[in-house]
């Protein structure tokens, strides 16, 4: 029903920066955790970062100190600021938002993904 829409992906040089954003195309209720996964070409999906309802953040070790996840609850958006990008960061990035389903159970909504390519 409600879909998440990601934006901000593209081609960037090593050492550069990029900001990803994600927002639903409708209203979500009982929003809890929000965050980002990524899947490099030919590799498994991994959790990159998430932020809880209380603003607590968690990062995978490979991005710690370089990426920042944030949320804007007035817009129900989650963003990922990526700095000092490396070729190893090349992946399709997927956002998620945990929120109420039409039956009011808490489920995970997913974006369709946005490609980030880090290359010279």
């Amino acid at each position: 029903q409600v879909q998440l829409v990601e934006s901000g992906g593209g081609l960037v040089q090593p050492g550069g920066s990029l900001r990803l954003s994600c927002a639903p195309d409708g209203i979500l209720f009982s929003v809890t955790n929000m965050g980002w996964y990524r899947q490099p070409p030919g590799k498994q999906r991994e959790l990159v970062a998430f932020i809880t309802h209380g603003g607590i953040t968690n990062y995978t070790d490979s991005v710690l100190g370089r990426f920042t996840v944030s949320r804007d609850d007035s817009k129900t958006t989650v963003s990922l600021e990526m700095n000092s990008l490396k070729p190893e960061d090349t992946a399709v990035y997927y956002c998620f938002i945990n929120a109420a389903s039409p039956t009011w159970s808490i489920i995970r909504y997913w974006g369709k993904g946005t490609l980030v390519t880090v290359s010279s």
Side-chain angles (χ1 to χ4, degrees):
Q1 188 173 341
V2 174
Q3 306 293 318
L4 303 186
V5 181
E6 297 140 329
S7 63
L11 176 65
V12 65
Q13 294 183 341
S17 299
L18 210 59
R19 182 180 177 89
L20 306 181
S21 296
C22 171
D25 65 1
I27 302 299
L28 291 177
F29 299 94
S30 301
V31 175
T32 57
N33 294 355
M34 311 169 74
W36 297 85
Y37 281 80
R38 69 183 180 185
Q39 187 167 27
K43 298 182 179 180
Q44 64 184 0
R45 183 194 67 181
E46 67 171 343
L47 179 64
V48 178
F50 70 89
I51 181 167
T52 71
H53 180 69
I56 304 299
T57 58
N58 286 266
Y59 301 91
T60 190
D61 287 344
S62 63
V63 309
L64 187 63
R66 300 188 297 119
F67 290 12
T68 302
V69 63
S70 61
R71 62 191 289 161
D72 184 342
D73 290 325
S74 69
K75 302 177 181 178
T76 315
T77 60
V78 58
S79 298
L80 186 68
E81 182 73 34
M82 304 182 293
N83 300 310
S84 301
L85 282 162
K86 305 174 181 179
E88 307 93 270
D89 296 318
T90 296
V92 177
Y93 285 72
Y94 301 90
C95 67
F96 72 86
I97 298 177
N98 293 347
S101 75
T103 58
W104 299 106
S105 61
I106 302 300
I107 65 171
R108 177 161 289 180
Y109 293 83
W110 289 96
K112 293 183 178 180
T114 185
L115 177 63
V116 172
T117 302
V118 184
S119 176
S120 298

